[in-house]
Amino acid sequence: MSDQGRRPTRLGETGLEGFAPYLMNRIMGRYNAEVRAALGQNGLSTPKMRALAVLSVVPAPLIRELAVYAVTEQSTLSRALDQLEAEGLVRREADASDSRATRIHITAAGLAVFEGLWPHMIDAQDTMFRDISDDERQAFLGTLQKMLRNIRKHEF
Amino acid sequence: MSDQGRRPTRLGETGLEGFAPYLMNRIMGRYNAEVRAALGQNGLSTPKMRALAVLSVVPAPLIRELAVYAVTEQSTLSRALDQLEAEGLVRREADASDSRATRIHITAAGLAVFEGLWPHMIDAQDTMFRDISDDERQAFLGTLQKMLRNIRKHEF
DNA sequence: CAGAGTTATATGCATTTGCAAATATCTTTT
DNA sequence: AAAAGATATTTGCAAATGCATATAACTCTG
C-alpha cells in the first residue's frame, strides 16, 4: 500500500527538498546548463543537440517520433532540423510508404559532432552522481525507468 | 569504488533509457507539461508558477535567490515578477540593509492562487510514482537530495 | 469511392527567452 | 576617501518558442 488514507501533503511540510519534481527540475536545470555551455561553440542549441543525441541511437525516426524522444515541441524540432540539415549534420528523407512522413538520418558529420559532445554529457552526469554508489545509482535508474513507463503516452 | 577503470560508456551501449539525465529530462518534460496545462486558466506561466511555489515556502528571498530556487533565469524572473506584482500576487520590497536588493513577498492572493495549483502538482507527482513503493520512493528522494548537493553552486 | 476524419510536417505570428549591457549601489584596495 | 571592482536588478534587442493554422497525404465509413 502506498498513500492510502494520507491527506495530501502541503509543500510547506516537506519543503522544496522533499518534493521530487522540484529536485528533478533543479538538478536538470544545472545539468542542461552544463551541457549548453559545451554547445555554444559548435553553434548548437539544446533542441539541436537533443536531436543529434537521439539520432545517434535511434535509426531514421519520423519527425514526430524524434520530437518525443528529444523532448522537444514538434515545431521547434522542425526548425532545428532545418538548421541541422543546412549544416549537413542530418538528412531528411521521404518515408517509403507514407509520403506525408519524413525520416531523419544522421550524417557522419552529425555523428562526429555528437561524439565531441558526449564526453561533456558524461562529465555532467558523473558530477551529479559523484559519491553515489553503483548500487544506489542502479536503483535510482531503475526507478526512473518505472517512472517513464508511468508517464509515457507513446509506445516508446 | 564506483567508476574506476571503466572506459566511458557510449550512448549506444545503454541506449537512451540507460542514461539518467535523459530519463529525467523526459520525465520532467511530461510533468511540466502536465502542470502547465493547469496554469493556462489563471494566466500563469511556468516561471510565475515556480516563483509562487518557492515563495509559498521561502520567506522574502532576494530576487537572485528566488531565481536559483525557481530554476529561472534572473531576467526572466524579473519580468515574471512584474506581472505577478501587477496582478497583486507578490510584492517587491526594498531590502533593509542593501538598497540595491529587493525582497519578494507573496501576498494572500498569491498564496491562494498557489494553493489552487498545488493539487495539480501533487497529482502529476502521484502519476509519476504510481505503483512505486514508499520505500523505493523514499530511496529515490534520498538520491535526488544527494545529487542536488553535488551539483549545487550556491549555499541553498 | 466520395467525403469526413485523422495524421505528418511546416509556418505565420505574437509572445517569451536569454544574453549582454545599463544602472545603481555596495565593497575593497591603495 | 577616491578609484576599481563586485553585486543586485532591470532592460534592449535579436533570436527562439509555442500555439494555432495551413497543407498535404492517409484511413476509414457508409
Side-chain angles (χ1 to χ4, degrees), chain B residues 13-82:
Chain B
E13 289 177 32
T14 59
L16 295 170
E17 314 232 335
F19 190 56
Y22 172 73
L23 292 169
M24 293 174 76
N25 268 325
R26 185 99 183 254
I27 293 164
M28 290 324 283
R30 185 74 70 193
Y31 170 84
N32 290 326
E34 213 77 27
V35 173
R36 201 162 38 235
L39 296 182
Q41 289 87 5
N42 315 39
L44 287 176
S45 61
T46 300
K48 286 164 75 180
M49 168 262 135
R50 288 187 176 173
L52 289 181
V54 171
L55 288 167
S56 81
V57 167
V58 178
L62 297 178
I63 291 178
R64 74 179 168 79
E65 292 170 343
L66 184 52
V68 175
Y69 283 125
V71 194
T72 302
E73 274 291 315
Q74 222 231 32
S75 62
T76 300
L77 179 60
S78 177
R79 288 183 261 244
L81 291 173
D82 290 344

Side-chain angles (χ1 to χ4, degrees), chain A residues 20-87:
Chain A
Y22 173 73
L23 292 170
M24 293 174 76
N25 268 326
R26 185 99 185 254
I27 293 164
M28 290 325 283
R30 185 74 70 193
Y31 170 84
N32 290 326
E34 212 77 28
V35 173
R36 202 163 36 236
L39 296 182
Q41 290 87 6
N42 314 39
L44 288 176
S45 61
T46 299
K48 287 165 75 180
M49 170 263 134
R50 288 188 177 173
L52 289 181
V54 171
L55 288 167
S56 81
V57 167
V58 178
L62 296 178
I63 292 178
R64 74 179 168 79
E65 293 170 342
L66 184 52
V68 175
Y69 284 125
V71 194
T72 301
E73 274 291 316
Q74 205 256 327
S75 63
T76 300
L77 179 60
S78 176
R79 288 184 261 245
L81 291 174
D82 289 345
Q83 296 186 31
L84 289 171
E85 196 170 29
E87 294 158 11

Side-chain angles (χ1 to χ4, degrees), chain A residues 86-129:
Chain A
E87 294 158 11
L89 305 185
V90 308
R91 217 158 15 81
R92 273 185 242 240
E93 206 161 296
D95 183 86
S97 63
D98 184 342
S99 64
R100 292 168 303 178
T102 305
R103 296 195 169 273
I104 306 299
H105 300 257
I106 192 168
T107 65
L111 218 43
V113 166
F114 175 69
E115 316 239 276
L117 239 47
W118 180 238
H120 295 282
M121 302 191 208
I122 289 282
D123 279 358
Q125 187 202 34
D126 287 349
T127 301
M128 291 187 350
F129 283 112

Side-chain angles (χ1 to χ4, degrees), chain B residues 35 74 81 85 100 113 149:
Chain B
V35 173
Q74 222 231 32
L81 291 173
E85 196 170 30
R100 291 167 304 179
V113 167
R149 266 177 253 119

